[in-house]
Amino acid sequence: MFKDKHILLGVTGGIAAYKAVELLRLLKKAGANVNVIVTKSALKFVGKTTFEVLSENPVLSDLYFDTQSLVKHIDLATWADAAVIAPATANTIAKLAHGIADDALSTTLLAVTAPVMICPSMNTDMYQNIRVQRNLDILETDGWHIIDPDSGVLACKAVGAGRLPDPWFILDRLEAILTRKDLKGKKILVSAGPTVEPIDPVRFVSNHSSGKMGYAIARAAEKRGGTVTLVSGPVNLDAPVGIERIDVETCEQMASQMLSNLDQADIIIKVAAVADYKPIDPKTSKIKKKDNNNKDLCISMTENPDILKLIGEKKTKDQFVVGFAAETDDLEKNALLKIKKKNLDMIAANLVGSSDSGFKADTNKVKLFFRDGSLFDIPLMEKEKVANILIDQVIKKMG
Ligand code: CTP
């Protein structure tokens, strides 16, 4: 997303200015070309050299002394694909809200027509002050994006809202702003992760699913403007930003959540690795070794409901249903059989067993099979990219 994008990073004078350094590093790592504009007070917190070295560009702090160009503020404003002000102080927010242009940053921002993201950071009382809130409302109404500050212990020792969010979060939201909103107005229901079927209160039957592929799809769909509900089995991943996550454990719980959210969904993507079988009779207290007289332990299992098949039976002609198939043999034959058996529009199939694709990897390699017999090959790449290509194909097929 950020490769060769032109990002203007505005830094104002708050203690959180040090986090702007990390944000700059993340932007550069993601491939962005960054120009930094600092206010005079920002330079009291972080030196210009730091921003210059990391951005590999001159840093603008004074319109009259800094530059060879007489219209540097216009050059930068025209150059920018997006601008992010992090941290944004109450003073700069007030100036921007009222069109005051009395330093390099506020003057440049008056000429920016690209999307602008403001990340306020200050003491809680200042942040909640009616004037600051009014100014933020003005900027939001004018179409700029405001990122709410985090709550916690502030530099002034007060506890409350006012902390600059983590740089990765700001980067994530900037990516969302820059993403084309081709899923706007669409509701997407995604399932991810494994299901866990109890044997007794301390043991269970499950599988190796990490949830990474399903979470990547949910995140990509949200950034593309979709309203996403993610039904997730137990995974070690943070809840994605801007998404309703419903946590479940068993196949029965996943089935119930998927089916109760089904009617509202336009696109259903069933990535979860559901346990096909569950213990018939899960014990309410821990099975002790001595209960078994040192003999082999047999656990009788019964079949779980096939959630995707139930969804396929209920789906309307306007809904688009995608399944996933992890296979060890006969990929194409099994994938096509599952499309038919479960009444799917598309199935994303991959061969498991390789370390660079499948359950725990950060990369994946899948073949998309469609109901009409067509095929689309996604070679090995990061799951984030696979997710976006898969969504491109869904949108294309849905017309
Ligand atoms: N699936 C499901 N409910 C189940 C089993 C699978 O919803 N009880 C869904 C998965 O989420 C996936 C698709 O069906 O989208 C295919 O899952 P997979 O495990 O590959 O296929 P199965 O139907 O379980 O068949 P088999 O295990 O025999 O390959």
Side-chain angles (χ1 to χ4, degrees):
M1 166 51 66
F2 286 105
K3 185 141 179 36
D4 301 326
K5 280 274 183 316
H6 295 173
I7 308 296
L8 212 52
L9 171 61
V11 185
T12 70
I15 186 68
Y18 76 93
K19 289 190 186 172
V21 176
E22 179 62 8
L23 176 61
L24 169 58
R25 220 182 53 78
L26 292 178
L27 280 163
K28 290 292 289 180
K29 204 170 151 206
N33 197 339
V34 187
N35 267 295
V36 182
I37 307 182
V38 290
T39 61
K40 281 210 177 69
S41 355
L43 294 178
K44 307 255 183 221
F45 294 90
V46 182
K48 206 169 172 179
T49 319
T50 306
F51 291 119
E52 264 168 0
V53 170
L54 290 175
S55 69
E56 300 172 276
N57 275 320
V59 167
L60 188 67
S61 61
D62 188 320
L63 282 178
Y64 300 100
F65 298 104
D66 273 11
T67 71
Q68 291 88 10
S69 165
L70 289 176
V71 285
K72 186 72 180 165
H73 58 300
I74 304 298
D75 296 346
L76 285 178
T78 322
W79 168 89
D81 294 315
V84 50
I85 316 304
T89 56
N91 183 44
T92 292
I93 289 168
K95 287 199 278 187
L96 297 176
H98 295 281
I100 294 169
D102 66 351
D103 59 11
L105 182 61
S106 54
T107 308
T108 307
L109 278 163
L110 263 192
V112 168
T113 52
V116 179
M117 202 170 96
I118 302 284
C119 307
S121 171
M122 63 199 77
N123 159 274
T124 307
D125 290 334
M126 287 171 77
Y127 174 65
Q128 286 168 348
N129 184 291
I130 191 157
R131 291 161 196 86
V132 173
Q133 288 301 315
R134 200 186 294 134
N135 289 334
L136 287 169
D137 282 348
I138 291 174
L139 294 174
E140 193 157 39
T141 311
D142 288 349
W144 285 11
H145 304 267
I146 312 296
I147 300 296
D148 291 339
D150 281 352
S151 290
V153 183
L154 306 176
C156 55
K157 306 276 186 290
V159 179
R163 283 163 66 108
L164 186 72
D166 285 338
W168 67 262
F169 179 90
I170 298 174
L171 189 82
D172 182 86
R173 291 301 83 196
L174 190 60
E175 187 178 356
I177 287 166
L178 286 168
T179 307
R180 195 159 42 100
K181 300 288 179 261
D182 49 5
L183 283 178
K184 198 169 166 55
K186 294 278 179 228
K187 294 209 164 73
I188 297 99
L189 178 60
V190 182
S191 80
T195 68
V196 163
E197 312 295 335
I199 297 170
D200 68 14
V202 295
R203 304 180 180 96
F204 55 81
V205 178
S206 189
N207 57 63
H208 289 301
S209 170
S210 63
K212 286 179 183 171
M213 191 66 242
Y215 273 56
I217 289 176
R219 277 198 302 270
E222 187 270 337
K223 291 205 171 94
R224 294 169 75 149
T227 306
V228 183
T229 303
L230 173 64
V231 179
S232 174
V235 292
N236 242 336
L237 301 171
D238 290 332
V241 184
I243 287 176
E244 183 199 5
R245 185 175 83 170
I246 303 171
D247 290 322
V248 295
E249 299 230 321
T250 63
C251 169
E252 296 277 357
Q253 290 166 0
M254 185 172 276
S256 142
Q257 289 298 338
M258 288 299 285
L259 294 174
S260 60
N261 282 284
L262 181 63
D263 285 353
Q264 302 91 333
D266 300 294
I267 301 167
I268 300 98
I269 309 183
K270 185 95 200 7
V271 198
V274 183
D276 288 328
Y277 294 90
K278 64 175 178 187
I280 290 182
D281 180 23
K283 303 293 178 220
T284 49
S285 37
K286 187 182 169 195
I287 301 170
K288 303 297 285 179
K289 255 188 292 190
K290 66 176 171 42
D291 297 345
N292 202 33
N293 294 325
N294 292 332
K295 294 208 186 89
D296 293 343
L297 176 68
C298 294
I299 300 167
S300 300
M301 311 270 276
T302 184
E303 206 173 336
N304 257 328
D306 188 323
I307 309 170
L308 192 55
K309 191 156 177 280
L310 293 172
I311 291 173
E313 283 161 11
K314 288 179 188 296
K315 104 181 185 71
T316 65
K317 65 173 178 30
D318 295 327
Q319 289 178 315
F320 196 94
V321 178
V322 180
F324 265 72
E327 304 291 348
T328 49
D329 318 278
D330 293 331
L331 185 74
E332 177 157 2
K333 190 174 135 219
N334 285 321
L336 293 174
L337 266 174
K338 282 175 191 173
I339 288 195
K340 259 209 178 125
K341 197 171 112 195
K342 306 194 188 199
N343 190 26
L344 309 178
D345 297 287
M346 175 178 131
I347 196 155
N350 68 334
L351 279 175
V352 286
S354 143
S355 62
D356 55 9
S357 66
F359 280 154
K360 287 189 176 146
D362 290 326
T363 49
N364 207 356
K365 174 170 66 178
V366 298
K367 286 183 192 298
L368 306 180
F369 296 93
F370 298 90
R371 183 201 274 281
D372 61 11
S374 55
L375 165 72
F376 190 92
D377 222 332
I378 306 183
L380 187 71
M381 59 180 77
E382 284 160 19
K383 285 184 171 169
E384 220 69 53
K385 288 185 186 151
V386 172
N388 272 301
I389 295 176
L390 184 145
I391 292 173
D392 288 345
Q393 292 302 312
V394 171
I395 292 174
K396 199 168 149 203
K397 285 286 169 191
M398 287 180 89

